Amino acid sequence: MLLRLPVIIAAMLAVVGLAHADDDELTIQGIGISRDVDCQGKNVGVYGAENEIALTGQCRTITVHGSKHKVSFEQGQTLSVSGSDNIVNGGRAKDVVVSVAKNTVTTTLEAGE
């Protein structure tokens, strides 16, 4: 079942720890990178500042950490956004966690099994 309500989250919550990247993660790290990335069913991590990333295809966990990123995605199992002033726009996600300050996330929550 798909929930059709868009979720807009502006979070100002306590800082949570960042999970370490694993070998099965596509990592985009830097400042001012602009790139389209095919998730290929993998975890994707966007780190640094001011990156503009378009994620295509099916992603597992999408991690956005840093500041002033602009990230779009088609589909992800889990979306985790931390840092400040990030903008994330997506298709569908099953789980969404947003922390720290001034992050904006727009997605459609997909109901679990």
Side-chain angles (χ1 to χ4, degrees), residues 6-7 55 62 71-76 79 87-93 104-109:
V7 175
L55 302 173
I62 301 167
V71 177
S72 64
F73 69 95
E74 292 176 354
Q75 187 170 3
L79 173 63
I87 298 172
V88 180
N89 293 304
R92 298 180 307 204
T104 302
V105 176
T106 305
T107 188
T108 299
L109 288 177

Side-chain angles (χ1 to χ4, degrees), residues 57-79:
Q58 173 68 38
C59 305
R60 279 192 299 173
T61 298
I62 301 167
T63 302
V64 178
H65 179 75
S67 63
K68 298 184 181 178
H69 295 298
K70 292 181 182 175
V71 177
S72 64
F73 69 95
E74 292 176 354
Q75 187 170 3
Q77 291 178 2
T78 302
L79 173 63

